[in-house]
Amino acid sequence: MTLSEQAADQTSPRRRGKASLGRLDWSTWPTYQAAGLGLRDHWYPVMWAKDVGQRPIPIVVSGEKIVIGRNRGKVWALADRCPHRGVPLHLGSVEFPGTISCAYHGWTFDTSNGVLCAAITDGPRSPIVGKVSVARYPVEERLGLVWIYIARDPDDRDQPVRPLDEDLPAELVSNATTVVGRIEPGRGGNWRYATENGFDEGHAKYLHRHALWTLFRELPVWNETKVMRSDDGRWVIRRQVNSYWEESFPGLGTWTQRRWWKFKRTSHGPFKGKRAEPVLASLDLPAKASVGLPGVVRIAYGRYVHYEWAVAEGADSHRYVQLLVSFARSPIERLWFRLKYRLFIRWVFHGQFTGQDAWMVDVMEVPPERLYRPDSSVLEWRRFVEDEEAGRQGTESAEPND
Amino acid sequence: MTLSEQAADQTSPRRRGKASLGRLDWSTWPTYQAAGLGLRDHWYPVMWAKDVGQRPIPIVVSGEKIVIGRNRGKVWALADRCPHRGVPLHLGSVEFPGTISCAYHGWTFDTSNGVLCAAITDGPRSPIVGKVSVARYPVEERLGLVWIYIARDPDDRDQPVRPLDEDLPAELVSNATTVVGRIEPGRGGNWRYATENGFDEGHAKYLHRHALWTLFRELPVWNETKVMRSDDGRWVIRRQVNSYWEESFPGLGTWTQRRWWKFKRTSHGPFKGKRAEPVLASLDLPAKASVGLPGVVRIAYGRYVHYEWAVAEGADSHRYVQLLVSFARSPIERLWFRLKYRLFIRWVFHGQFTGQDAWMVDVMEVPPERLYRPDSSVLEWRRFVEDEEAGRQGTESAEPND
Amino acid sequence: MTLSEQAADQTSPRRRGKASLGRLDWSTWPTYQAAGLGLRDHWYPVMWAKDVGQRPIPIVVSGEKIVIGRNRGKVWALADRCPHRGVPLHLGSVEFPGTISCAYHGWTFDTSNGVLCAAITDGPRSPIVGKVSVARYPVEERLGLVWIYIARDPDDRDQPVRPLDEDLPAELVSNATTVVGRIEPGRGGNWRYATENGFDEGHAKYLHRHALWTLFRELPVWNETKVMRSDDGRWVIRRQVNSYWEESFPGLGTWTQRRWWKFKRTSHGPFKGKRAEPVLASLDLPAKASVGLPGVVRIAYGRYVHYEWAVAEGADSHRYVQLLVSFARSPIERLWFRLKYRLFIRWVFHGQFTGQDAWMVDVMEVPPERLYRPDSSVLEWRRFVEDEEAGRQGTESAEPND
């Protein structure tokens, strides 16, 4: 279903084409509109490296069923479908080192390249060996995570693979880091909803006003912000210009989030204090909030940085990868960071707080949509994708929209 | 799917077009056929008034998602979708009296007219205020119920709204009444199946033969009836001409519902007696059984009247509203009526008995259909809808059939 | 959805038409491809005869909803849909001997021919009697089972019905037998997957290598086999030419299923011994493994024969009927056979072992498919269907493929 069909579908037929509906599709951003299953030719984080062992695991990325495992210490990823009779390879087992055998007839694939290297039940001289293969997906381990490369055409073995470093935020390539976080497959909603939500200027102050994470922190009613591209061209960034803490709405009354027990934010995060020096300034981050390709949102807090990827599974679900990264060097600080995360941040920030976002991402349904002033953040992100990816994703794309 | 496609679909392709299938679609009654989601420009009962408070509640009527609530004592109903990002408004909260705010970004709508009166997170001078609105649905409280008006085009704010009195049975407009009943959303089956079932002459004697409600009442094997329109033209009515209490079926044997413990009905209802004077004659009801627009079935019992509406939700489900109304004036009689309902009628008549109907409505699937003599009641109802609504529903209707 | 659409659907649009996918549809065998809901003009076993009593039971065969019951000792089967209002007849009851009455309005059908013989609620002179009927399905009891005939057009009362004996394996027609087994409706996967699995040469040695049934039996790595038709033309048969018990796979290593506790098979089945004389030779079975129309797989063990039918329900499910038949004559032997089945074979062979097959049949999805040498068994079966059924199923078939 195209987005415009979808838009028409979710409203009564009587309402089609009404101007009051606002934008009925995303044809202003054709590449973005076509990327319902994610942007291709990019790397995505999908699993904790420690969770990938010899036992094959099925995942879905960009609509592709993939089986992932580890052989002789090295992670591998193949298309999760035996070409013989269509049985998922993740049901199989390892009969020879460096291979995976289909559970049904023992078709055995070299995990390094996906080529059929034995068909056990046809004996060692089986004529089909070497003539059949399944798509392999480039995979790398970095930062304790397994990253997978979704090419434009996973079956094309000759196309170049972009280096992972180009898709990693630069500060994650060269610094010593401590990485913690949560990975949740099967969250509802298209990946674009989640990514837009992550960078959206408008909702945080309102949606999260009763979150535990902001219990002692006063939130503004609204902000004036500036949205622009970073100097290196890799990010769309957002800077606060002004915050308004109490406002009177004509004909309605006054609205504020001031409470006697809340402190106005002087620094970011609840764990500010004398050690909250701008450690992060050394990272040269262009702004507190940024979004970059292939859909990574970065929020800089006082002493650590939050990253999130909404990795497309199907059109209506995504694997949500949220990381919290400390760049501290002292072992004590690192240990304290891990402890704080495990005991508090994991539940309050990466749990309830981003859980409120997940709720909205799950129930929202656009287009049609009517955007408002704070959506300049969302709009700039869509333009950015269009500018950066239009050629790369292929204009002839036969990708389903959603 | 059109009805004829549906008909074709539910039978093997080999059987399509077989004459023995009977009527393959409802094209004889095009307005009725097109009204799979209910008749428009009509009022429907949807909730008990006491159950609607400030907390917004989602309902579905005629395929439209609607949020209903109460502000300053007055019930309101709006389309349940924030036009910004498609989040359901019923997830929101009341930030200012007389408004509802979307949970995501605090877009705030005036509940009296659906107009956006504030976008909290864009500050008090947000340029979008006043330029966006959601459809509002006329609502009224009457008889302890909330009634909602489903217009031909809910987005058209200029069209006239028919007075609720025109859709209420006349005796409910002017009399003092005691109203009890049950409201059940999500019952299976199209609203037309349920309405036809309510007025259907044929099934009651057979389907309900083992119901507790008829435990002591002898039911006939079959009736001769006359189906006609009421003098005021507002109802299709049905009158019994003859009842047959025992019959011999050629080649099969004798069939009767006579049991030694059953009494032949001399009056209606199990609570007949010396006080069963024709109280209802004063109401001037044209017959025991009637059906009127927009799909209300009325069955007059000795001392009270049963009404039922099958309010379309989607094509395959309806909100079933069954009322029992007493027109008694004495407080004692009213109290006795309420008690009797609460302790007995609610469970035996509005529970098991109409539950048998719900069972049939859920499993039946027409067209195709083969009608028989007693279906003159159903046929006359369809003709009535055609006569009364053909122009009103719009002949160009793009409404899905089912 | 046609098979080729299905094939396209289950792979990313980017991969369509890739040669490496192998066969993209089954157009090589058009009759077989069209038989997604089973082959017609054939008899299928569906229930244990002892489980069919007066109370009507709904079943689905070849996409047809059927109600089955027993009147005056005789099993009957009719289309499970009252033509009046589409209510399933299996919800009805028996009001007169030899009939079934619809629960809704008491339409009463003669179970012997499906003709409406009374419409109770329209009285004994109802003009519709005799003018309406539902399809009846020929049924027979044999071997303790109820067999049903699925005609090309169940509504056509004039077409000839093939004798059940023509669809029964010949040795089951004339011999005294003891029949035990399991019948499971609703198993996942198309009937063709299950039938192909039953006769497939390739998988047994690998898929079942850890089954309890083969715990003490050494399995070969692979076999050379010969697939051909039986002399009487009724079966496709498979004969082992050579078995290889240990093999070295180039570049990978040695693979074998030899274990110190396993015995090389000298006869079939775990209950071999001095009484394992070739009792079955007297049956003149052409081979250990055979498959015949309309999809019966026969595996001869030392002292009994396993038969299985995957009777199509819908495109994605089947009723799995597995029988174990002993041809022993002595009452003691028969008793011992029943006991052994009840205590052991039922759980280990007809439970876990064929449960592994069910697992594969459920997850497999073809086409596309890439066949290999051992699939000559599957290919010959498809050719056989094509040769035998092409004319019979009707070339103009409007049958959905899947």
Side-chain angles (χ1 to χ4, degrees), chain A residues 81 85 104-105 152 155, chain C residues 14-15 196-197 200 365:
Chain A
R81 182 183 189 278
R85 300 289 272 165
Y104 200 6
H105 297 83
R152 233 167 107 178
D155 286 318
Chain C
R14 299 167 178 279
R15 305 209 198 150
E196 294 184 354
N197 173 84
D200 168 33
E365 229 180 314

Side-chain angles (χ1 to χ4, degrees), chain B residues 77-142:
Chain B
L78 300 178
D80 190 17
R81 182 184 190 276
C82 180
H84 178 213
R85 300 289 273 165
V87 166
L89 284 178
H90 78 262
L91 302 174
S93 56
V94 177
E95 301 293 334
F96 304 103
T99 69
I100 173 90
S101 296
C102 175
Y104 199 6
H105 297 83
W107 282 33
T108 301
F109 299 87
D110 184 329
T111 53
S112 72
N113 58 19
V115 175
L116 183 74
C117 56
I120 294 177
T121 50
D122 194 24
R125 288 161 301 281
S126 175
I128 204 168
V129 166
K131 295 199 190 122
V132 174
S133 62
V134 293
R136 69 168 260 286
Y137 293 81
V139 271
E140 282 198 33
E141 283 186 62
R142 193 77 76 82

Side-chain angles (χ1 to χ4, degrees), chain A residues 40 64 81 83-88 91 93 95-96 99 101-107 117-118 120-125 127-128 132 137 152-153 155 398-400, chain C residues 10 12-15 18 196-197 200 202-203 206-207 209 221-222 247-250 252-255 359-360 363-366 368-375 382:
Chain A
R40 293 192 167 247
E64 319 243 336
R81 182 183 189 278
H84 177 214
R85 300 289 272 165
V87 166
L91 302 174
S93 56
E95 301 294 334
F96 303 103
T99 69
S101 297
C102 175
Y104 200 6
H105 297 83
W107 281 33
C117 56
I120 294 177
T121 50
D122 194 23
R125 288 161 302 281
I128 204 169
V132 174
Y137 294 82
R152 233 167 107 178
D153 179 355
D155 286 318
E399 201 58 45
Chain C
Q10 76 200 39
S12 143
R14 299 167 178 279
R15 305 209 198 150
K18 288 286 172 73
E196 294 184 354
N197 173 84
D200 168 33
H203 78 278
Y206 187 79
L207 172 67
R209 70 197 184 283
V221 178
W222 68 291
E247 285 286 12
S248 172
F249 288 84
L252 297 174
T254 294
W255 203 86
W359 177 44
M360 290 295 112
V363 299
M364 102 205 274
E365 229 180 314
V366 290
E369 65 188 4
R370 279 295 295 256
L371 302 184
Y372 76 144
R373 209 162 42 175
D375 285 320
R382 293 184 188 171

Side-chain angles (χ1 to χ4, degrees), chain A residues 44-50 140-147 164-165 167-181 183 296 305 307 309 321-327 334 338:
Chain A
Y44 294 95
V46 289
M47 300 273 294
W48 293 109
K50 67 174 169 47
E140 282 199 32
E141 282 186 63
R142 191 77 75 83
L143 302 164
L145 294 154
V146 172
W147 302 74
L164 170 55
D165 283 4
D167 272 344
L168 274 182
E171 69 277 11
L172 292 179
V173 174
S174 45
N175 289 282
T177 58
T178 307
V179 178
V180 292
I183 297 178
V296 50
V305 183
Y307 297 87
W309 287 256
V321 177
Q322 41 187 346
L323 305 181
L324 206 65
V325 178
S326 160
F327 296 85
R334 290 177 171 230
R338 284 189 181 279

Side-chain angles (χ1 to χ4, degrees), chain A residues 222-291:
Chain A
W222 67 292
N223 297 311
E224 282 177 87
T225 59
K226 248 183 109 170
V227 177
M228 67 198 87
R229 311 247 172 131
S230 66
D231 291 341
D232 65 0
R234 287 191 55 184
W235 300 88
V236 178
I237 62 176
R238 175 160 50 79
R239 292 198 181 117
Q240 234 89 308
V241 175
N242 247 312
S243 288
Y244 299 88
W245 304 91
E246 176 169 320
E247 285 286 12
S248 172
F249 288 84
L252 297 173
T254 293
W255 204 85
T256 181
Q257 308 210 53
R258 276 192 195 133
R259 302 288 180 272
W260 63 262
W261 68 85
K262 292 201 178 195
F263 300 89
K264 193 172 283 189
R265 183 181 48 188
T266 51
S267 169
H268 300 291
F271 293 97
K272 59 190 188 297
K274 59 180 168 186
R275 278 189 309 199
E277 287 87 52
V279 176
L280 298 177
S282 64
L283 295 175
D284 198 23
L285 301 189
K288 177 170 159 52
S290 0
V291 62

Side-chain angles (χ1 to χ4, degrees), chain A residues 357-370:
Chain A
D357 294 306
W359 179 42
M360 289 295 111
V361 168
D362 194 23
V363 299
M364 104 206 271
E365 226 180 316
V366 292
E369 66 189 1
R370 280 294 296 256

Side-chain angles (χ1 to χ4, degrees), chain B residues 324-342:
Chain B
L324 205 67
V325 178
S326 161
F327 295 84
R329 300 200 177 176
S330 110
I332 298 281
E333 267 187 285
R334 290 177 172 230
L335 188 66
W336 175 234
F337 172 70
R338 284 187 181 281
L339 198 68
K340 222 163 53 180
Y341 185 78
R342 178 67 55 181

Side-chain angles (χ1 to χ4, degrees), chain C residues 21 71 86 93 108 135 151 225 264 283 291 297-298 309 339 383:
Chain C
L21 274 177
N71 258 333
S93 56
T108 301
T225 59
K264 195 173 285 190
L283 296 175
V291 61
V297 173
R298 177 177 64 187
W309 287 257
L339 198 68
R383 270 184 227 118

